[in-house]
Amino acid sequence: MTESTKIPSGTSGTAQPSGFAGRAASAARWLLGKLAGGIFVLWAVATAIFFGLRMIPGDPAEAIMGGPGSQASAEALAAARAQYGLDQPLYVQYFGQLWRLAKGDFGTSYSLKSPVVEVLAELVPSTLILAGLALLVAWVLALVVSVLSTRSGSLGSALGSGLEIVSAAVPHFWLASVLIMLFSTMLGWLPPVSTNTPSGLVLPVITLALPLAGFMGQLMRDTMAEAQRSAFALSARARGESETGVLLRHSLRHAALPGIALSGWALGSLLSGAVVVEAIFARPGLGRSLLSAVTARDIPLVTGVALFSAAAYVLIMAFSDVAERLVDPRIGKS
């Protein structure tokens, strides 16, 4: 072998990994990191719920027997503690619960006397429909206000900013009360309680969507205004692109990135807001059931609802990360 054909030092004679293999390895590391982070979040939520509920004054055995008003005998309370392992040391109860949760065993609801999995299967669709529609409406409102305020100059931007700040600061309970008084009591257009009809969803969806739209709209409008002043926007105008074309083809994609990144946080916000909204509009769902379960010290049901909400948050955050990489490939490369 001549000097010119020698393999350079620091390399081998085998083929180097292709670009696809490198991207696959990077994607695998990213997925493993997301999985590890999701498991940690679920463990943290389960731990916080376990110790938090046991810090509340009262005897969980009374909740199992129907609450303090049940006047259960001492023998019945002792039997309930033994049946559910409440007479064991706290650390034994803790690790036992973690082991059961890892196996998918969420136990039986104290108050509803049904397996928590069955209760969740019944309640989850209602809350997901409410949260999904609210997120969709918030997205549409935020994008529309961002586009209109950006196209309207400084005055439109100031008006859009003021509208977004006000809507983002409105509490759910106050907004729900105003909407019921206006559209149900005064105008009679919509029912004051949530029903299975589309009209029964309008007020709960708007109540959840408006504050979220105000928060998302602020970020989207600022990003869109910055994109309008960027180099690629100037280049598009130099090529003869109209202002509408620059806005819709270039700036709008950049304005969507903050909303995509906030989708996971938005889901958590919607699920927490659903506790108030479902209670006000008498709508069955996870939020209303969680409020009742905390009041009744229904430990298995509270744990199940909280873990489902945390798992949904983790999944939505992962999907939003994927969506960000699809909209802006530079994120994945970085």
Side-chain angles (χ1 to χ4, degrees), residues 5 13 22 42 53 59 86-87 98 104 121 127 138 151 188 193 214 226-227 239 258 284 307 314-315 317 327:
T5 60
L42 295 179
L53 288 177
D59 187 356
L86 297 175
D87 56 345
L98 289 183
T127 299
R151 289 293 306 273
V193 296
E226 183 179 352
R239 295 194 302 269
L307 285 179
V314 170
L315 288 176
M317 287 296 293
V327 173

Side-chain angles (χ1 to χ4, degrees), residues 10 27 46 75 93 109 113 122 133 140 142 156-157 171 175 180 192 196 213 228 243 274 287 295 302 322 334:
E75 292 78 8
Q93 297 181 43
S109 169
K113 309 304 181 184
E122 182 179 353
L133 289 175
V140 172
S157 180
L175 180 59
I180 291 174
N196 293 326
Q228 287 286 88
E243 286 297 325
T295 304
V302 172
V322 172
S334 62

Side-chain angles (χ1 to χ4, degrees), residues 16-40:
Q16 296 299 311
S18 64
F20 175 79
R23 290 193 298 271
S26 177
R29 289 193 298 269
W30 179 79
L31 288 174
L32 288 175
K34 287 293 179 182
L35 179 61
I39 293 174
F40 175 79

Side-chain angles (χ1 to χ4, degrees), residues 126-329:
S126 175
T127 299
L128 286 184
I129 290 173
L130 177 63
L133 289 175
L135 183 59
L136 177 62
V137 171
W139 257 94
V140 172
L141 291 177
L143 285 176
V144 169
V145 172
S146 299
V147 171
L148 293 179
S149 61
T150 302
R151 289 293 306 273
S152 302
S154 58
L155 178 60
S157 180
L159 291 176
S161 177
L163 181 63
E164 291 160 357
I165 291 174
V166 171
S167 61
V170 172
H172 288 119
F173 68 89
W174 183 87
L175 180 59
S177 302
V178 171
L179 292 177
I180 291 174
M181 182 179 64
L182 177 61
F183 292 102
S184 297
T185 305
M186 297 177 61
L187 299 176
W189 291 354
L190 297 169
V193 296
S194 181
T195 61
N196 293 326
T197 62
S199 61
L201 271 172
V202 173
L203 293 184
V205 167
I206 294 177
T207 302
L208 281 176
L210 279 181
L212 179 60
F215 185 81
M216 295 174 65
Q218 295 179 60
L219 298 177
M220 289 183 179
R221 183 173 47 79
D222 292 342
T223 306
M224 186 175 293
E226 183 179 352
Q228 287 286 88
R229 300 188 298 267
S230 63
F232 64 81
L234 296 176
S235 177
R237 295 188 186 97
R239 295 194 302 269
E241 189 88 38
S242 65
E243 286 297 325
T244 301
V246 172
L247 183 65
L248 298 180
R249 296 181 184 178
H250 303 283
S251 301
L252 191 60
R253 185 177 68 174
H254 289 266
L257 287 175
I260 294 173
L262 285 173
S263 294
W265 170 87
L267 177 67
S269 175
L270 291 174
L271 290 177
S272 63
V275 175
V276 176
V277 172
E278 289 177 351
I280 292 176
F281 291 98
R283 178 178 175 81
L286 291 178
R288 187 180 177 190
S289 298
L290 178 62
L291 184 62
S292 301
V294 171
T295 304
R297 293 197 55 155
D298 192 338
I299 297 174
L301 185 55
V302 172
T303 304
V305 172
L307 285 179
F308 172 81
S309 302
Y313 173 81
V314 170
L315 288 176
I316 292 297
M317 287 296 293
F319 284 131
S320 66
D321 286 346
V322 172
E324 281 187 276
R325 284 162 170 76
L326 293 176
V327 173
D328 190 351

Side-chain angles (χ1 to χ4, degrees), residues 43 46-47 50-51 54 84-86 88-107 299 303 307:
W43 167 79
T47 301
F50 178 87
F51 289 104
R54 280 157 179 80
Y84 288 91
L86 297 175
Q88 298 176 344
L90 192 61
Y91 73 91
V92 175
Q93 297 181 43
Y94 171 67
F95 287 108
Q97 176 169 300
L98 289 183
W99 176 244
R100 290 191 296 271
L101 292 176
K103 296 188 298 181
D105 180 9
F106 290 87
I299 297 174
T303 304
L307 285 179

